[in-house]
Amino acid sequence: QHWSPDLGASSRALGREVLSAPCSSLCWHEGGIYATDFSGNILCWKPGDAAANARRVVGQSVAVTGINDLGQYCELAISPTGEVFVGDQDNARLVSFENGSSRVLLDDLVRTLFCSPAGVLYVLLSGGRVVQKLVGSTFQTVIDAETLPADLQFEGYAIAVTKEEVIYLLDDRNSRILRIDPAEPLKPSVVGEVPSEQDPDLCSLFVTEAGTIYVADHDQGKVLAFRPGNICPTEVLQCPDDLLPMAVLVHGRSMYVGMVDDRDS
């Protein structure tokens, strides 16, 4: 669903449905929103179009040379040039789609992935404890949680990377957001944290150019925001009708939230 609040207005602001399929991952590319559903498809929808005008770019009935049978649970990233990367969790592989063809980049379980504005692909491996990036045709380790002090070790569930290649990690184990500067990769800083007494279940991460961090709290049915310089969250959305957030995307003054009605998704 889609909201156009002042991203800080009433958390119960009414939105409108723009895609009828539940979405587990959302990306913006060249004026369109790309989404993974739970049926092995990647959909593309342009704001302003009717939901019925969403088109499949990967999946059933789409002509693709190579792999086109994705599993139910997929994570999505898109490069500035339009190359589509999919972490196919059911089949433990990372697949690239470009110009009507696909290829496997990695035979491993990718927890999540992100393509930076500079076109660098980052992935979370080893249960979210290792961050790697694609350099040429090989993946290189950027940071391994095991190399950090105990109080800064993480189990990453989501990742975002800025144009300066600064990494933000949603640390699932500790319900917090870590910021990793590429100049000092062994000194992450905590830039957001949800108190454990709120029983959070954080599952999505989006960072704006201005530095505001948005996360989805799945079980609580909320979207939270961390403003620059404040590690405490503000509730910006309470999902309607017992729906639960899976993915968050902010573009301009609009927020798009992929929701499901199944607490186990």
Side-chain angles (χ1 to χ4, degrees), residues 148-164:
L148 299 175
D151 63 331
L152 288 174
Q153 292 189 11
F154 58 83
E155 290 180 6
Y157 194 90
I159 183 172
V161 185
T162 70
K163 60 185 178 181
E164 296 83 15

Side-chain angles (χ1 to χ4, degrees), residues 2-7 250-255:
H2 164 242
W3 276 257
S4 291
D6 187 24
L7 298 187
V250 175
H251 186 78
R253 296 173 67 85
S254 294
M255 179 166 65

Side-chain angles (χ1 to χ4, degrees), residues 8-66:
S10 170
S11 66
R12 296 184 181 274
L14 294 177
R16 61 186 177 88
E17 184 177 284
V18 295
L19 285 174
S20 57
C23 301
S24 58
S25 186
L26 298 171
C27 285
W28 182 276
H29 178 67
E30 292 189 345
I33 294 174
Y34 289 74
T36 57
D37 61 13
F38 289 91
S39 300
N41 301 306
I42 298 176
L43 310 174
C44 178
W45 173 83
K46 292 199 172 183
D49 287 355
N53 290 343
R55 61 184 178 89
R56 286 195 187 102
V57 293
V58 173
Q60 303 166 17
S61 75
V62 179
V64 173
T65 301

Side-chain angles (χ1 to χ4, degrees), residues 169-181:
L169 279 176
L170 193 165
D171 177 9
D172 183 46
R173 182 174 66 177
N174 299 293
S175 300
R176 63 186 180 180
I177 313 299
L178 298 179
R179 182 184 185 274
I180 302 171
D181 190 320

Side-chain angles (χ1 to χ4, degrees), residues 2-263:
H2 164 242
W3 276 257
S4 291
D6 187 24
L7 298 187
S10 170
S11 66
R12 296 184 181 274
L14 294 177
R16 61 186 177 88
E17 184 177 284
V18 295
L19 285 174
S20 57
C23 301
S24 58
S25 186
L26 298 171
C27 285
W28 182 276
H29 178 67
E30 292 189 345
I33 294 174
Y34 289 74
T36 57
D37 61 13
F38 289 91
S39 300
N41 301 306
I42 298 176
L43 310 174
C44 178
W45 173 83
K46 292 199 172 183
D49 287 355
N53 290 343
R55 61 184 178 89
R56 286 195 187 102
V57 293
V58 173
Q60 303 166 17
S61 75
V62 179
V64 173
T65 301
I67 292 170
N68 195 28
D69 56 340
L70 300 176
Q72 182 177 5
Y73 295 98
C74 291
E75 292 289 324
L76 174 68
I78 303 178
S79 77
T81 61
E83 185 174 2
V84 175
F85 303 99
V86 179
D88 182 355
Q89 295 183 355
D90 289 354
N91 296 298
R93 61 190 179 186
L94 173 62
V95 185
S96 161
F97 295 87
E98 189 174 29
N99 298 324
S101 298
S102 66
R103 59 194 174 104
V104 175
L105 298 180
L106 189 65
D107 282 309
D108 202 344
L109 179 60
V110 175
R111 190 164 197 183
T112 193
L113 67 166
F114 191 90
C115 198
S116 75
V120 180
L121 178 66
Y122 290 79
V123 297
L124 274 171
L125 303 172
S126 300
R129 297 184 62 78
V130 174
V131 178
Q132 291 192 342
K133 67 179 181 180
L134 183 60
V135 180
S137 58
T138 61
F139 283 89
Q140 298 180 1
T141 296
V142 176
I143 187 167
D144 185 331
E146 298 295 333
T147 66
L148 299 175
D151 63 331
L152 288 174
Q153 292 189 11
F154 58 83
E155 290 180 6
Y157 194 90
I159 183 172
V161 185
T162 70
K163 60 185 178 181
E164 296 83 15
E165 303 299 317
V166 174
I167 299 170
Y168 289 82
L169 279 176
L170 193 165
D171 177 9
D172 183 46
R173 182 174 66 177
N174 299 293
S175 300
R176 63 186 180 180
I177 313 299
L178 298 179
R179 182 184 185 274
I180 302 171
D181 190 320
E184 296 183 301
L186 298 182
K187 296 182 179 180
S189 57
V190 178
V191 292
E193 192 165 11
V194 180
S196 59
E197 57 265 26
Q198 295 183 18
D199 194 23
D201 179 26
L202 307 182
C203 67
S204 183
L205 172 69
F206 189 91
V207 182
T208 69
E209 290 186 3
T212 300
I213 302 166
Y214 293 89
V215 298
D217 187 337
H218 181 269
D219 285 1
Q220 301 300 325
K222 299 176 180 179
V223 176
L224 308 174
F226 298 89
R227 313 294 178 182
N230 190 348
I231 67 168
C232 298
T234 300
E235 181 182 319
V236 294
L237 175 68
Q238 176 66 56
C239 295
D241 303 325
D242 296 323
L243 294 174
L244 305 172
M246 287 289 292
V248 177
L249 169 67
V250 175
H251 186 78
R253 296 173 67 85
S254 294
M255 179 166 65
Y256 301 87
V257 183
M259 301 181 189
V260 297
D261 59 7
D262 181 357
R263 189 166 295 274

